[in-house]
Amino acid sequence: MQRLSNHDKVYKCWLRYAAVTDPEKLQDYRKWCGELVSPAAAGVVLESAVEELQQGILSMIGMGPQNSQSPSASHYILLGTRGQSKAIDEALSSLSASSADSYILKTLPLDGRKCLLAAGRSDRGTLYAAFHLLRLMQMGSTLEDLDIQESPLNGLRMINQWDNMDGSIERGYAGQSIFYENNRIISDLSRIKDYARLLSSTGINGISINNVNVHHHETLLITQPQLSEVARVAEVLRKYGIVTFLSVNFASPMQVGGLLTADPLDEEVRTWWKNAVKEIYRVIPDFGGFLVKADSESRPGPFTYGRNHVDGANMLAEALQPYGGTVIWRCFVYNCQQDWRDRSTDRARAAYDHFTPLDGGFHDNVILQIKNGPMDFQVREPVSPLFGALPSTNQVLELQIAQEYTGQARHVCYLVPQWKEVLEFDTFARGEGSDVAKVVSGSLFGGKLGGIAAVSNIGNDANWTGHVLAQANLYGFGRLSWNPQLTSEQIAREWIYLTFGTEPKLVEVILNILLNSWQTYENYTAPLGVGWMVNPDHHYGPNVDGYEYSRWGTYHFADRDGIGVDRTVKSGTGYTAQYPKPHADRYESPDTCPDELLLFFHHVPYTHKLRSGKTVIQHIYDTHFAGAEQAASFLESWLTLEGSMDAQQFENVRGRLQEQAQHALEWRDQINTYFFRKSGIADEHGRTIY
Ligand SMILES: CO[C@H]1[C@H](O)[C@@H](O)[C@H](O)O[C@@H]1C(=O)O
């Protein structure tokens, strides 16, 4: 098991609170931050806000604020929530947004003094205000004339851990779990506290703490004695406004309860769940609910009993309903026993085919969790047509921060631009402007619950994410789930300032790497939306036919004449018809299909001309040569930063970029050689193809 050695310090990431060196700023911050006025009998979340402000300010300006209940200094910070002071109530009444998580950061004259008000609609909102203030200071912003109102656009901003109790993490690339070891919840919760701080500072308010593939030990988490251990974790997370969820095994009534069935319509089964939930809420009164992977990749589910997902989800929803709990039911349901010869079964169709007929049937404390694309977190996929097709169902978008198919923790791949494309995709469900962001926030269809969830990329590595630059994805997810309108560049800049400082050259180099990394990764890996082409099981590294003859339904169908999957209505699987117009028409014809998705929707000859004017085969060669060069240039530019940051961080990224540059050559050559051999068509530019 990987352990931290004594000299490995655990990184504070974007909560580093580096000492302010600019004399003017120091003076400004010292003036404002000498005194912190907060209510006496605060709850645990407000206590965290005070603690965070105390420590952050001390670390940045060398003196912590005096804590008091009424001001005595000329300038002071006033922290609190509704009902705690007249000034706070007045300020909050001007907040236009309705979310309980919204807050105000504002400087104003008050009773002859200057007050910096950090106030939220709820304790959690107030904590967010504190983190925002600390962020401003870390980025060197002035505190004069603040007038900020913030409100999240998504209710649920959630992290999914795919952690197992033996300490391993499914698709984890940054060490072992910080939650479990040896089939128990970890005894020292300090790392979980730091994680909670990191998440909360970006606005995350929910987390499911175990893998959606719920194995033997994890199945027991919902019962004693493990449940009391879960409560210890929930207590730490609660202090940072984060609600705890568990992934559950649909067959729990059999595996834990000893029943002979898990049929969702069986009375005994229903009673078993009700009792289990009652006990959970006795121990964790603010428990969030269940995340469920059912009838997917051999996990148990209602299909075994001839029931459907409405039956399964609603049974759990009824058990949770009296306590305000939620069922988050995943739509990643497909046939994983396919035969490559069968061209009519199409995995891309599965989620839509399974779930659209069920729209309107789910209870209102059920949320369907839908992966961004119809397949599985590839570097490029179309957006799932399920968004927009479930007007009467709560929905959550599922993203993957862990870069399972995008270089894991070894290649840099800043995914915020990809996520933004998903959120901006127009479903046309209520006419033009019905983008995914509005669907999942609930604003388009008026859904009660909604938001964004993502699979985490952290482990117990000293730097949390294996690759230091992969921290930007975790940070970016939180910020984007709070406000999908932030740009990729804004988020990247913030992360760089907070993590490395504001020195212009350093910022420019890192920004350039981050913003070009997704395109680069796409360039040297699977072309034109075709996906996969990776080694089976661990999914790292090139293997063009790695999944071509297996049962997972992930084919590219390359032969000597052409490549791609025909998903048209005219001659293929009919998947294009799952989209509304104009997407359906655009995807249906190879002439109008966007280049980057061509092979996802069409099987074409290598000589097919793309909209860019290049042939498919020449595009493959060109992008692969270009991608490998870009990867090499990332390393080169990084090397210019030596000496401008903590040496361990510098070395971590240097080593990873070096591996990436080398590995990009392997990708380039494997892909180019494969297609040169298949097509027999030479590179127009006569470059070396092995
Ligand atoms: C948790 O299982 C994962 C599995 O490891 C992963 O390879 C696949 O992408 O998706 C599954 C899922 O999302 O359920």
Side-chain angles (χ1 to χ4, degrees):
M1 184 177 294
Q2 197 168 336
R3 288 240 157 257
L4 288 177
S5 60
N6 290 336
H7 61 267
D8 273 344
K9 58 175 182 240
V10 173
Y11 277 86
K12 296 180 175 155
C13 305
W14 53 88
L15 298 181
R16 143 184 105 103
Y17 302 132
V20 175
T21 49
D22 179 301
E24 248 175 72
K25 277 179 190 143
L26 195 58
Q27 204 186 4
D28 184 39
Y29 295 168
R30 286 199 163 150
K31 181 180 75 191
W32 279 105
C33 300
E35 188 176 18
L36 173 61
V37 176
S38 60
V44 291
V45 177
L46 280 183
E47 274 167 21
S48 301
V50 170
E51 183 182 304
E52 196 71 27
L53 283 171
Q54 290 281 7
Q55 290 176 3
I57 290 170
L58 173 65
S59 162
M60 282 187 281
I61 64 172
M63 55 178 235
Q66 286 291 332
N67 230 359
S68 66
Q69 267 137 55
S70 64
S72 55
S74 66
H75 292 68
Y76 66 100
I77 301 170
L78 175 59
L79 183 85
T81 182
R82 275 186 291 200
Q84 291 175 337
S85 91
K86 209 170 123 237
I88 290 178
D89 285 346
E90 248 173 53
L92 286 175
S93 68
S94 73
L95 252 183
S96 46
S98 61
S99 165
D101 292 349
S102 49
Y103 62 83
I104 284 182
L105 264 185
K106 189 177 167 67
T107 45
L108 66 161
L110 197 62
D111 301 331
R113 305 172 203 277
K114 290 278 199 104
C115 166
L116 196 170
L117 189 84
R121 268 248 166 76
S122 61
D123 289 6
R124 186 156 68 197
T126 311
L127 176 63
Y128 294 149
F131 275 122
H132 193 146
L133 173 59
L134 290 164
R135 183 162 77 230
L136 290 176
M137 292 172 68
Q138 291 198 87
M139 297 198 301
S141 313
T142 171
L143 301 183
E144 298 296 331
D145 304 321
L146 285 184
D147 191 6
I148 294 170
Q149 293 200 359
E150 276 281 338
S151 187
L153 295 183
N154 289 294
L156 195 60
R157 308 173 296 277
M158 180 154 171
I159 286 286
N160 293 178
Q161 296 297 136
W162 281 0
D163 295 33
N164 302 312
M165 290 188 72
D166 64 2
S168 65
I169 304 174
E170 183 150 352
R171 312 305 175 189
Y173 312 105
Q176 297 286 112
S177 174
I178 63 165
F179 289 86
Y180 313 97
E181 64 183 355
N182 302 326
N183 295 319
R184 304 189 61 115
I185 291 202
I186 214 145
S187 50
D188 175 3
L189 303 184
S190 56
R191 208 65 210 256
I192 297 178
K193 175 180 171 184
D194 283 340
Y195 188 39
R197 292 175 51 237
L198 287 169
L199 294 180
S200 181
S201 71
T202 70
I204 297 295
N205 63 358
I207 187 170
S208 57
I209 61 168
N210 63 305
N211 188 359
V212 289
N213 289 325
V214 187
H215 307 294
H216 171 74
H217 290 283
E218 297 78 7
T219 300
L220 302 173
L221 284 172
I222 56 171
T223 56
Q224 294 293 10
Q226 295 295 1
L227 187 56
S228 293
E229 294 293 298
V230 174
R232 284 175 55 230
V233 173
E235 190 186 343
V236 174
L237 297 168
R238 177 183 304 119
K239 290 184 180 151
Y240 291 91
I242 300 172
V243 174
T244 300
F245 291 70
L246 288 171
S247 295
V248 291
N249 182 341
F250 195 79
S252 298
M254 300 165 76
Q255 292 189 20
V256 188
L259 303 190
L260 296 175
T261 175
D263 180 350
L265 298 192
D266 181 283
E267 273 316 315
E268 249 190 306
V269 170
R270 298 169 81 84
T271 305
W272 187 88
W273 277 110
K274 282 186 179 141
N275 289 334
V277 167
K278 187 172 172 195
E279 172 63 5
I280 295 174
Y281 279 89
R282 190 184 65 76
V283 182
I284 311 171
D286 59 350
F287 182 68
F290 297 145
L291 174 62
V292 194
K293 172 175 179 176
D295 290 318
S296 165
E297 299 184 329
S298 313
R299 302 312 300 157
F303 286 172
T304 310
Y305 310 98
R307 314 297 184 194
N308 67 21
H309 291 279
V310 169
D311 300 325
N314 283 356
M315 167 192 61
L316 297 175
E318 279 165 38
L320 289 160
Q321 193 275 336
Y323 312 93
T326 304
V327 179
I328 306 179
W329 191 271
R330 296 176 86 227
C331 294
F332 185 61
V333 177
Y334 68 99
N335 173 2
C336 64
Q337 297 290 346
Q338 260 185 257
D339 183 327
W340 63 270
R341 294 168 197 81
D342 165 18
R343 297 265 183 141
S344 61
T345 310
D346 181 0
R347 173 166 162 181
R349 294 188 56 118
Y352 183 101
D353 284 344
H354 279 296
F355 286 93
T356 49
L358 307 179
D359 186 37
F362 294 98
H363 288 336
D364 64 5
N365 60 332
V366 175
I367 311 179
L368 295 188
Q369 181 162 305
I370 306 167
K371 285 192 181 182
N372 61 279
M375 298 297 276
D376 196 5
F377 303 134
Q378 300 302 291
V379 68
R380 177 75 66 176
E381 286 184 49
V383 173
S384 171
L386 205 45
F387 298 110
L390 297 166
S392 306
T393 306
N394 297 314
Q395 296 162 58
V396 155
L397 162 66
E398 177 176 329
L399 302 170
Q400 195 193 45
I401 310 171
Q403 301 162 234
E404 177 178 357
Y405 292 96
T406 49
Q408 303 182 359
R410 293 152 85 172
H411 296 218
V412 57
C413 190
Y414 176 58
L415 287 168
V416 174
Q418 186 201 53
W419 301 336
K420 284 208 55 98
E421 280 193 16
V422 175
L423 287 160
E424 285 165 7
F425 182 78
D426 199 338
T427 68
F428 292 96
R430 290 278 186 270
E432 214 175 317
S434 308
D435 55 37
V436 171
K438 288 189 194 134
V439 171
V440 299
S441 72
S443 68
L444 190 72
F445 300 129
K448 205 177 74 147
L449 304 168
I452 315 186
V455 181
S456 181
N457 64 344
I458 69 108
N460 69 357
D461 273 8
N463 66 23
W464 296 88
T465 52
H467 194 314
V468 168
L469 297 184
Q471 289 169 13
N473 283 330
L474 183 62
Y475 180 81
F477 170 71
R479 297 288 287 129
L480 200 63
S481 64
W482 177 276
N483 181 4
Q485 282 156 10
L486 294 172
T487 69
S488 302
E489 180 175 335
Q490 259 174 305
I491 294 175
R493 275 187 187 280
E494 272 183 16
W495 177 76
I496 297 167
Y497 293 159
L498 299 173
T499 311
F500 296 101
T502 53
E503 199 275 303
K505 183 177 156 245
L506 180 134
V507 173
E508 189 196 305
V509 167
I510 303 178
L511 194 62
N512 179 60
I513 293 176
L514 288 179
L515 293 181
N516 289 300
S517 57
W518 175 39
Q519 181 65 64
T520 297
Y521 192 81
E522 180 176 23
N523 280 348
Y524 62 76
T525 58
L528 300 167
V530 78
W532 310 97
M533 295 191 175
V534 289
N535 286 304
D537 303 331
H538 58 74
H539 300 164
Y540 186 73
N543 186 342
V544 182
D545 283 340
Y547 272 105
E548 198 51 22
Y549 303 96
S550 63
R551 62 186 173 90
W552 299 95
T554 50
Y555 316 116
H556 53 65
F557 298 124
D559 57 23
R560 64 180 184 183
D561 301 319
I563 177 173
V565 190
D566 186 348
R567 293 193 158 106
T568 63
V569 172
K570 191 166 142 263
S571 51
T573 68
Y575 168 73
T576 56
Q578 292 187 345
Y579 290 90
K581 281 176 190 299
H583 296 304
D585 296 341
R586 212 158 56 99
Y587 294 147
E588 176 74 12
S589 160
D591 299 332
T592 51
C593 184
D595 283 350
E596 70 275 12
L597 289 171
L598 184 75
L599 302 181
F600 193 93
F601 287 103
H602 299 276
H603 186 88
V604 296
Y606 296 107
T607 51
H608 174 89
K609 267 229 164 89
L610 295 168
R611 285 148 60 103
S612 70
K614 284 187 188 176
T615 60
V616 165
I617 189 71
Q618 195 56 42
H619 173 95
I620 293 178
Y621 297 149
D622 288 351
T623 50
H624 284 76
F625 283 111
E629 273 172 32
Q630 286 160 323
S633 77
F634 290 167
L635 174 62
E636 239 171 79
S637 65
W638 185 262
L639 292 178
T640 66
L641 300 183
E642 182 153 22
S644 57
M645 68 179 73
D646 167 285
Q648 220 169 302
Q649 298 214 21
F650 175 80
E651 264 311 302
N652 166 272
V653 178
R654 193 199 57 74
R656 305 272 159 158
L657 290 178
Q658 190 166 26
E659 172 175 350
Q660 180 176 0
Q662 269 159 9
H663 202 220
L665 295 177
E666 191 187 331
W667 268 101
R668 178 195 73 186
D669 293 338
Q670 290 235 15
I671 302 281
N672 283 348
T673 297
Y674 179 98
F675 287 105
F676 177 44
R677 168 89 183 261
K678 278 262 145 120
S679 69
I681 301 171
D683 171 33
E684 274 172 13
H685 305 297
R687 290 163 292 196
T688 305
I689 295 180
Y690 297 98

